[in-house]
Amino acid sequence: MNYTILILPGLGDSGETHWQNYWLQHFDTSEKVTQKDWNNPILEDWLESLTASIEAAEGEIIIVAHSLSCSLINHWSKENKGHKIAGALLVAPADVDSPAHTPEEIRNFAPIPLLKLEFPSIVITSSNDPYISVERAAFLAEKWGSSFINIGEKGHLNSESKLEYWEEGQEILQSLLQIIESNK
C-alpha cells in the first residue's frame, strides 16, 4: 500500500484489543494520532494533534477514524484543504450533537460539520451502536458525500465488539482504495 494509514482513535483511546490497534500492527504504513488527553477531549487540542500528524505523514494519507474522531476529521476538513488526504474510513461516528447518545465531555465537538468532504469516504455503522442511530449515521454520510455501510449488529465497533483484525473492515478499506485509484 502506497498510503500512510493514519489511525484516529476516539474518546478514551483504542484499547489493546481494539481493531485499530490490530491494524497498527498489520499495516506497515500505519501511524496513530496521539492526543494530549484521551478522556477529556478538547476540540482545539485534538485538531492541533491531527494537523501535526497530517503534516508529518509521508505522502498521501488514508484516514481511519473511529467514533469521536469522525467528528474530528470533519471539523479539520472544514478549516483545512485535504490535499494530502486520499480518502477516509469513518467508523462508528459518535453523535456528539445528541445528549441521549454521547457523554457531556465530548459536547465541545458539537455541532458536527455537515459539509461535503473533499476526498472519497465511507461511513461504517452498526445497527445497534449505542452512540448513534442508523438513520443519523446515514444522514451524516449523505451530508459528507460518503458511501454508507451498515454492517449489522456489532455494537460500537470497538474492543467490546471483539473484531481483532476486522477482516470485513479491511475489505471495505480495499473498496475505498479502488474508489481512490479510479478517481486518479
Side-chain angles (χ1 to χ4, degrees), residues 7-136:
I7 304 284
L8 284 71
L11 179 67
D13 194 2
S14 295
E16 67 180 52
T17 60
H18 195 290
W19 62 267
Q20 284 187 317
N21 280 327
Y22 282 88
W23 283 23
L24 281 166
Q25 298 166 25
H26 181 72
F27 294 108
D28 292 338
T29 62
S30 64
E31 299 174 9
K32 178 179 170 180
V33 176
T34 302
Q35 298 297 346
K36 293 175 188 170
D37 188 339
W38 288 110
N39 297 314
N40 299 294
I42 303 299
L43 177 58
E44 293 306 316
D45 292 346
W46 280 41
L47 285 168
E48 186 179 300
S49 297
L50 176 58
T51 298
S53 294
I54 288 172
E55 289 173 357
E58 295 288 324
E60 289 187 293
I61 298 167
I62 303 290
I63 297 289
V64 178
H66 181 260
S67 193
L68 180 59
S69 282
C70 295
S71 291
L72 176 67
I73 193 62
N74 281 278
H75 280 287
W76 184 90
S77 296
K78 184 175 71 172
E79 303 296 330
N80 297 276
K81 294 290 179 199
H83 64 278
K84 285 182 79 172
I85 300 176
L89 281 186
L90 304 171
V91 181
D95 189 356
V96 300
D97 295 341
S98 170
H101 285 101
T102 53
E104 183 62 34
E105 60 261 30
I106 63 172
R107 205 69 57 231
N108 71 98
F109 282 68
I112 299 171
L114 299 176
L115 302 172
K116 185 176 186 303
L117 295 171
E118 295 181 6
F119 42 83
S121 58
I122 300 174
V123 171
I124 304 169
T125 197
S126 161
S127 59
N128 64 339
D129 189 329
Y131 299 107
I132 195 165
S133 69
V134 172
E135 296 78 18
R136 178 71 170 162

